[in-house]
Amino acid sequence: MVGIEPNAKDLEASFAMEVINMLEREGKINGAIKNNMANWQHSGFNVYCGQSVKPWDKEGLERLAQYIVRAPISQERITYVSNSMDGINRIIYKGKTSNMYEPFTALDWLARLVSHFYHV
């Protein structure tokens, strides 16, 4: 039976809100965190509407597992600079799409990561 194929982008916001609401109901996040997450530029949520992976598809399962465990950022785009000219250690991050280099102090880098606001 052939049905209407959904557009993944149309589903992402609803999916994200369902997960965020579930986390709040389960006491894993509070209202402030929920509001913060709802306003993220890049939610981190993704809906896949392509071919499903069958239980007997060993190669497909392997690809899916590799995708799930991959790091959210590439270590190849991170450079650590110790004792820069001003005496402050820095992380230099090369943007994925912009190819621009942006320097961060260690605390700024951690803040950027945990707030999920890396848009470089």
Side-chain angles (χ1 to χ4, degrees):
M1 176 179 215
V2 177
I4 298 171
E5 290 188 27
N7 180 339
K9 283 291 176 198
D10 294 339
L11 300 173
E12 282 181 15
S14 296
F15 175 68
M17 282 314 303
E18 285 297 318
V19 172
I20 291 169
N21 287 335
M22 178 204 56
L23 290 170
E24 183 181 38
R25 274 192 316 274
E26 296 293 322
K28 303 301 181 189
I29 62 173
N30 61 31
I33 293 172
K34 177 183 171 180
N35 291 336
N36 182 324
M37 291 174 72
N39 291 308
W40 284 349
Q41 181 180 357
H42 304 290
S43 74
F45 289 91
N46 190 344
V47 175
Y48 176 73
C49 295
Q51 286 257 324
S52 60
V53 178
K54 305 297 184 204
W56 57 85
D57 180 1
K58 300 290 186 202
E59 289 178 15
L61 290 170
E62 177 68 24
R63 284 191 306 274
L64 179 59
Q66 288 176 357
Y67 174 77
I68 289 170
V69 299
R70 81 182 166 106
I73 58 171
S74 170
Q75 286 185 299
E76 286 78 29
R77 293 196 312 263
I78 300 171
T79 304
Y80 178 72
V81 179
S82 62
N83 298 322
S84 58
M85 293 182 72
D86 59 4
I88 298 173
N89 299 337
R90 300 202 185 282
I91 290 99
I92 310 295
Y93 184 71
K94 180 184 176 193
K96 180 177 182 178
T97 56
S98 70
N99 287 323
M100 295 179 62
Y101 292 88
E102 188 170 356
F104 295 93
T105 63
L107 288 179
D108 287 342
W109 175 248
L110 289 173
R112 178 65 74 86
L113 287 177
V114 298
S115 68
H116 201 273
F117 184 68
Y118 44 74
H119 63 277
V120 292

